Amino acid sequence: MTGNKIIPNQLVNAESALHNSDIFSLVSRISSDIASAKFLVPGQYDQLLNKKPDHLINSFNFWQQVVASMMLNGNAYVVIHSNQEEPELEFIPCSWIINIDLTDYGKDILYTVDYHDERGQQVINSANMLHFKLFMYGTDIDNDRYVGVSPLMALTTELNISGFSNRLTLATLKHAIAPNVLLTVPEGTLEPEEVENIRNAWEAQTTGENNGRAIVLDQGLQMSKIDINANVADFLNNANFSRDQIAKAFNVPSSVLNGTGDAQSSVQMLNQQYVRSLNLYIEPIEAEIRMKLGIDCELDINGALDVDNSNFIKNINTLTGNQPVISTVQAQQALIDKGLFINNIDLNVDQDNTQMKGGEQDSKQ
């Protein structure tokens, strides 16, 4: 923060974070699920938000990178190009934002963008910038009020532990042929050159084409193995710690990463928890679009999560069960609207459900 100027500073390297398989899996899943959702907006904005936000990128990948940036950086920037024949959006990487200026008395926010092309640097006012912020805590009067914070900030310790664990695991696997082997010459003091010769001779017997063959030792050479400390071995086998911490930081159930569930009865509950956790990432998008475009906006996530419509069909069956809430005709019409029921018959039937319009009889209906 310099005066009224905010200079964005990425505290965590998002690209490095994606090298962590758990973070990659989580960011990829959440961004993909939200990108698969449909914006429920007035008709004139359907093209801009759902079909073709950018003429170079399809709508799925466009919103996927927006959500991924918001998760990894805490912020996602999208410029609104409305002064052209066909309005469109342009995603701006966080590194392209040079600074954010607060005008006198906080009347407006100005974003300086370096496009890295012939457009050079341009100043964009807040009305033409969709600034999606994941989390704002505003501990200082000016410093944190207008920028978001990434969950990665809370994972510094966990990622360091995970990094040390991975390096230790790789080192162990690298020397898995002879882990911590101790070669002893009972008598005599060896010169460094002799030590190296013995080491090279041992490695020659245990690697390459000799791998798995019988080992022959000189009469004065003894071999022993130093076991890995049990605590270190347990630590290497315990991957759930970092997974649980990552899931907690991104506010999703740990089962999303662990892939575990108590029983079939709990699967639906876990899915409901996951859907609720998506609101953390959906609400900032909806609220910013409502504010900047001045329209009603809602993301329909149900179609993205219920790909095969199994939950929808299950709900229809429940509503037409022993104590029906809707009629059979209403249920069929709902299935038709979803494209799950072929309307080969006229649904205008009488109360007995036997007399079809036009006098056609169907005792099986």
Side-chain angles (χ1 to χ4, degrees):
M1 188 72 181
T2 305
N4 285 338
K5 181 176 291 186
I6 298 175
I7 301 176
N9 179 24
Q10 291 179 287
L11 299 178
V12 182
N13 189 324
E15 184 176 351
S16 297
L18 287 178
H19 292 169
N20 182 294
S21 61
D22 292 321
I23 293 179
F24 181 92
S25 174
L26 191 57
V27 172
S28 175
R29 174 170 179 178
I30 291 178
S31 62
S32 297
D33 285 343
I34 296 179
S36 301
K38 181 180 180 181
F39 285 95
L40 302 180
V41 293
Q44 63 268 35
Y45 290 94
D46 182 64
Q47 175 80 3
L48 179 66
L49 297 176
N50 285 318
K51 297 179 180 178
K52 192 178 179 182
D54 190 319
H55 70 282
L56 296 176
I57 306 174
N58 63 66
S59 60
F60 174 82
N61 291 130
F62 179 85
W63 290 111
Q64 185 184 48
Q65 67 180 353
V66 168
V67 177
S69 176
M70 190 168 59
M71 295 180 67
L72 294 171
N73 301 304
N75 301 273
Y77 303 92
V78 175
V79 174
I80 306 172
H81 295 294
S82 56
N83 56 345
Q84 52 192 44
E85 183 177 351
E86 185 177 346
E88 67 175 19
L89 306 177
E90 181 181 5
F91 171 75
I92 304 296
C94 290
S95 60
W96 289 14
I97 303 295
I98 304 303
N99 55 58
I100 302 173
D101 292 323
L102 306 178
T103 60
D104 292 340
Y105 304 105
K107 292 182 180 179
D108 199 2
I109 302 176
L110 303 179
Y111 299 85
T112 303
V113 179
D114 187 350
Y115 282 100
H116 296 275
D117 57 22
E118 68 278 0
R119 291 174 292 179
Q121 292 188 9
Q122 294 185 10
V123 178
I124 301 172
N125 60 33
S126 61
N128 294 317
M129 176 71 78
L130 293 173
H131 183 184
F132 304 111
K133 300 169 283 289
L134 185 58
F135 176 63
M136 299 174 63
Y137 59 94
T139 54
D140 299 328
I141 295 177
D142 296 315
N143 193 20
D144 304 312
R145 293 168 57 194
Y146 303 103
V147 291
V149 177
S150 169
L152 294 180
M153 178 180 288
L155 291 171
T156 304
T157 302
E158 287 78 5
L159 292 179
N160 282 335
I161 292 175
S162 178
F164 286 129
S165 174
N166 290 338
R167 285 193 291 272
L168 182 57
T169 302
L170 289 174
T172 301
L173 292 175
K174 182 179 179 181
H175 302 288
I177 300 298
N180 299 316
V181 172
L182 180 63
L183 299 176
T184 305
V185 178
E187 299 179 358
T189 301
L190 299 177
E191 296 293 332
E193 186 175 328
E194 296 174 312
V195 171
E196 191 64 25
N197 290 336
I198 294 175
R199 183 186 292 115
N200 291 337
W202 171 262
E203 291 176 352
Q205 287 194 71
T206 56
T207 59
E209 295 181 356
N210 290 325
N211 184 22
R213 299 183 63 187
I215 299 173
V216 179
L217 297 178
D218 292 338
Q219 185 174 0
L221 191 63
Q222 297 179 359
M223 187 274 289
S224 60
K225 294 178 62 177
I226 302 175
D227 294 333
I228 298 177
N229 184 283
N231 294 331
V232 175
D234 291 340
F235 181 75
L236 291 175
N237 292 328
N238 184 16
N240 291 331
F241 169 76
S242 61
R243 288 178 179 173
D244 290 341
Q245 296 301 107
I246 291 172
K248 182 172 69 173
F250 282 94
N251 285 281
V252 297
S254 58
S255 60
V256 174
L257 291 175
N258 293 331
T260 57
D262 297 334
Q264 185 64 33
S265 59
S266 68
V267 171
Q268 184 176 2
M269 181 183 68
L270 293 175
N271 288 336
Q272 291 174 348
Q273 292 176 353
Y274 173 68
V275 172
R276 285 195 297 268
S277 68
L278 290 182
N279 285 330
L280 175 68
Y281 309 98
I282 292 175
E283 287 294 339
I285 297 176
E286 294 177 342
E288 184 73 1
I289 290 177
R290 292 191 198 106
M291 177 182 178
K292 298 296 175 64
L293 299 183
I295 60 175
D296 291 331
C297 175
E298 183 179 350
L299 262 177
D300 183 13
I301 198 69
N302 294 323
L305 299 179
D306 188 18
V307 179
D308 59 354
N309 294 295
S310 58
N311 290 335
F312 178 79
I313 295 174
K314 182 178 179 180
N315 292 335
I316 290 293
N317 288 334
T318 301
L319 294 174
T320 57
N322 296 330
Q323 297 179 345
V325 177
I326 62 175
S327 67
T328 302
V329 173
Q330 291 173 316
Q332 290 178 342
Q333 186 60 52
L335 294 172
I336 292 172
D337 293 340
K338 272 280 189 179
L340 303 175
F341 186 86
I342 300 176
N343 189 17
N344 288 331
I345 60 174
D346 196 326
L347 296 179
N348 293 322
V349 296
D350 62 12
Q351 295 180 351
D352 294 331
N353 278 339
T354 56
Q355 180 67 37
M356 301 179 60
K357 186 177 180 180
E360 190 177 354
Q361 298 290 336
D362 185 3
S363 60
K364 293 183 179 180
Q365 182 174 348

